[in-house]
Amino acid sequence: MLNKVRRFIAFEHLLQADRLYLVALSGGADSVCLLLCLKELGYRIEAVHCNFHLRGEESQRDEQYCQELCVRENIPLHKAHFDTKTYAAQHKVSIEMAARSLRYRYFFQLKETLAADAVCTGHHKEDSVETILINLVRGTGLNGLMGIRPRKGGVVRPLLCVTRQEIEQYLRSRSVSFVTDSTNLVDDVVRNKIRLNILPQLAEINPSVNDAVLTAANHLSEVDAIVRDSLNMALDKAVRPIGSTSPGNSFYPLEHTFKIDLKVVRHFPSPAYLLFHILKPLGFTPSQIAEVTAHLEGQPGQVWASSTHELTHDRDSLLVMPVVAEKPRELIIPETGRYVYDDGLSIRLTKENRSPASSPSFSRNPAIIDLDASSIRFPLTLRRTAEGDRFMPLGMSGTQLVSDFLTNLKRNRFEKRSQLVLLDASGVILWLLGLRISECFKVSSHTTSCLHIELL
C-alpha cells in the first residue's frame, strides 16, 4: 500500500519533501493510516485533532488516543475544543455542517500560523464513492459526479488511491490500533445510509461497484476537461467589459460591468451550460439562469438580480452590472465654480459675456456646452434621471420623456438608469449630460451672457 500512496502523491503532485504539512487526526483508521504513511515516507508533518464534544466519554477517548499516538511517534499535536451544538444553534446549521465549518476554519488558521503548505485528510476510495452517490441523489452537475478531488484549495488527500480494506491491513501489519466513532455505525445521516445500506446492496449486483463508480468518475473528469476547454474558448468570445457610452453617464463601477454576446451563446452547443458557467459565480440561482436562457429570444428589457449583480437583456447581448448599494448622489450647485460629483466626474461652470450680434457656435465636444445664462436660475441640481423626467431636446418644439429620448439613442436599461441630468432651480432640465441640451436654453443671436459648462 505504501508504494501505491507514494506513486499517487507523485502523480498528482500533492506533496513536496521540504514543506510542512498538517494531518487531520481523528483517531480513526483513515487518519491514523495517513499520519503513519506520511511519516514513513519521510514528510515533515504535525497532527491536528478537533474535539467537538458531541459523544461524551467517546470524544475524550479519541483525544486521549491521538495524544498517546503522537507522543509514541514523536509527532507534534495541536488540539482544539469546540462547543459544536451551540455553534450549530447560533448559525442555524446542522451539527454535521457546524463541525465541518469549525474544523476547517481551525485547520486553515493553524496552517497560516505555522506556514504549512497544506492540510492532509484521510479520505479514501469509498469516501469518494459515497460523495458521488450523495451528490447524485441531491442533484448535481459534472463537478459533483467526479468524486473527491486529490487537491482542493489548501487540502490534499493522499489516500484516495486506496480502499478502507487496504488501510486496515496496513495498520494490522504494523500492529497499530485505532478508535471507532460509534455514530458511523448508525444509519441516521445520508452518508451513513449510503455506506451501511445502499452500497452493500449495490455490491450484491456488482461486487466491484466501488471501482465501477470511480472509473465512471474518472471518465467524467476527462469529459469535464474537454467541456471546460470549450467553455473557456466560448468565454473569450462571449464576455466583453463595457463602460460608459457618454461623459454624462455615471455607469459605476466600470471595471466590473460586462456584456455577454448572445450570438456566441446561441451558437454554443449548450447555451444553458455556458450561461450557468458565467452567472452562477455571480450569485444567480439555477432557476434564474433557466429563466434567462428561456428568454434569449424574448423582448429586451427584462432584469434579473442576484445579491451582488443585476442582469438585463439588451438586444443582442446580456448586460451584467454589480449592484450599487449607495443611494445615487444629488449635487446642489449654488453658483458658478468647480464641483465634484464623484471620483470619476467633476463639473466646472463659468459665465462669459457675449456680443449679441455674433452668430452662435456650438462645441463638438459632448463634454462642453454653452447655455443662455439669462434664463437660468441657480441653484442648479445634478442628479440621475428619474421616472417621468421630460425636457425639450435642442431642435424640437415640444417636450419628450427623457426615457423615450434615450430609447431612441438605443441606450440600454442600465445606461438609462445612470444617465445624469442638470436642472435649474425651477426643476427644468437644462442638459442631458454628454447628449443634448434643452432647446429652451440654447445660445441665440440675442444672447448676451453664456453659462459655459465643462465636464472634467
Side-chain angles (χ1 to χ4, degrees):
M1 191 200 85
L2 196 64
N3 285 331
K4 185 184 288 188
V5 173
R6 179 189 287 112
R7 289 193 298 269
F8 184 72
I9 290 172
F11 181 78
E12 296 290 346
H13 307 288
L14 297 182
L15 307 175
Q16 298 182 47
D18 60 340
R19 303 291 178 85
L20 171 66
Y21 296 95
L22 301 180
V23 177
L25 181 64
S26 67
D30 311 339
S31 64
V32 173
C33 175
L34 175 63
L35 186 79
L36 298 182
C37 275
L38 295 185
K39 179 188 176 185
E40 196 169 344
L41 290 171
Y43 291 103
R44 189 159 62 96
I45 56 173
E46 296 185 14
V48 188
H49 178 77
C50 296
N51 188 334
F52 298 104
H53 293 278
L54 294 173
R55 295 177 287 118
E57 291 182 3
E58 206 173 86
S59 293
Q60 301 308 117
R61 177 208 66 185
D62 294 354
E63 180 178 337
Q64 182 66 27
Y65 170 84
C66 292
Q67 190 163 318
E68 292 173 358
L69 174 66
C70 289
V71 168
R72 186 169 68 247
E73 297 294 334
N74 195 29
I75 297 173
L77 173 66
H78 305 271
K79 298 184 295 182
H81 291 251
F82 300 109
D83 185 351
T84 312
K85 290 182 179 178
T86 299
Y87 180 91
Q90 290 177 343
H91 292 81
K92 296 181 173 57
V93 296
S94 68
I95 293 293
E96 187 179 15
M97 289 303 298
R100 176 183 172 81
S101 176
L102 290 167
R103 177 169 61 247
Y104 279 101
R105 184 171 65 184
Y106 174 61
F107 288 167
F108 288 125
Q109 286 174 346
L110 189 61
K111 172 179 172 290
E112 185 76 17
T113 301
L114 300 177
D117 196 62
V119 176
C120 304
T121 64
H123 294 91
H124 50 74
K125 281 187 174 182
E126 285 89 340
D127 290 323
S128 191
V129 171
E130 292 163 12
T131 298
I132 291 169
L133 294 179
I134 289 171
N135 291 338
L136 183 62
V137 170
R138 290 175 174 169
T140 186
L142 265 180
N143 191 56
L145 295 176
M146 294 188 298
I148 301 175
R149 299 289 84 198
R151 176 187 293 276
K152 186 175 182 182
V155 179
V156 296
R157 303 174 177 94
L159 299 187
L160 280 177
C161 60
V162 298
T163 65
R164 169 80 181 194
Q165 184 178 0
E166 289 175 298
I167 287 171
E168 293 186 0
Q169 176 57 38
Y170 172 86
L171 295 176
R172 280 195 297 270
S173 70
R174 285 155 177 78
S175 301
V176 177
S177 64
F178 54 88
V179 297
T180 300
D181 183 344
S182 61
T183 61
N184 289 336
L185 306 177
V186 182
D187 62 351
D188 58 346
V189 295
V190 175
R191 186 173 291 274
N192 287 0
K193 290 178 188 292
I194 289 175
R195 178 188 303 128
L196 301 174
N197 302 328
I198 295 175
L199 278 172
Q201 292 184 46
L202 291 176
E204 293 178 8
I205 300 172
N206 178 5
S208 301
V209 62
N210 287 332
D211 288 336
V213 171
L214 292 175
T215 297
N218 287 334
H219 292 331
L220 289 176
S221 296
E222 295 169 359
V223 171
D224 183 67
I226 297 170
V227 170
R228 288 188 176 277
D229 186 64
S230 178
L231 280 171
N232 289 333
M233 287 192 291
L235 285 173
D236 286 341
K237 297 176 182 177
V239 177
R240 290 286 180 271
I242 57 174
S244 173
T245 57
S246 72
N249 190 293
S250 59
F251 211 9
Y252 176 85
L254 301 181
E255 63 272 23
H256 299 305
T257 303
F258 63 90
K259 68 177 179 179
I260 304 168
D261 189 334
L262 290 184
K263 292 179 181 177
V264 177
V265 172
R266 293 188 184 106
H267 282 89
F268 192 73
S270 174
Y273 200 81
L274 177 58
L275 288 177
F276 186 88
H277 189 75
I278 298 170
L279 300 177
K280 179 69 163 56
L282 304 180
F284 291 94
T285 65
S287 60
Q288 286 178 311
I289 297 170
E291 285 182 18
V292 174
T293 304
H295 193 78
L296 292 182
E297 306 304 327
Q299 290 296 314
Q302 187 164 340
V303 174
W304 295 267
S306 72
S307 59
T308 58
H309 288 75
E310 289 181 294
L311 177 150
T312 188
H313 182 186
D314 181 58
R315 294 182 292 278
D316 290 328
S317 63
L318 297 172
L319 305 179
V320 183
M321 179 180 181
V323 172
V324 179
E326 296 86 358
K327 183 179 179 181
R329 189 183 176 199
E330 193 170 280
L331 176 65
I332 304 301
I333 302 174
E335 58 186 5
T336 56
R338 177 172 178 168
Y339 300 85
V340 176
Y341 180 76
D342 60 24
D343 290 341
L345 179 66
S346 296
I347 185 169
R348 181 165 59 205
L349 303 89
T350 55
K351 279 191 177 179
E352 300 175 356
N353 293 324
R354 179 179 176 278
S355 171
S358 61
S359 299
S361 59
F362 303 97
S363 171
R364 293 184 178 275
N365 187 337
I368 299 174
I369 63 165
D370 289 304
L371 301 176
D372 189 328
S374 63
S375 52
I376 296 174
R377 294 172 48 207
F378 280 84
L380 308 184
T381 301
L382 179 61
R383 62 164 172 80
R384 288 189 182 184
T385 184
E387 186 176 354
D389 276 350
R390 303 184 71 91
F391 86 125
M392 185 182 295
L394 181 66
M396 293 184 62
S397 57
T399 63
Q400 183 180 25
L401 282 169
V402 170
S403 59
D404 289 345
F405 181 83
L406 295 174
T407 296
N408 293 337
L409 292 179
K410 300 189 183 320
R411 294 295 189 259
N412 65 60
R413 187 163 183 151
F414 294 154
E415 289 172 318
K416 289 179 182 179
R417 188 177 62 192
S418 55
Q419 175 63 48
L420 294 173
V421 292
L422 184 66
L423 306 89
D424 77 349
S426 61
V428 177
I429 293 177
L430 310 175
W431 183 26
L432 262 65
L433 270 68
L435 297 177
R436 189 75 63 89
I437 66 170
S438 169
E439 172 73 17
C440 304
F441 301 93
K442 70 178 181 181
V443 173
S444 70
S445 58
H446 303 292
T447 300
T448 58
S449 177
C450 283
L451 181 63
H452 182 75
I453 305 176
E454 298 176 74
L455 301 181
L456 307 172

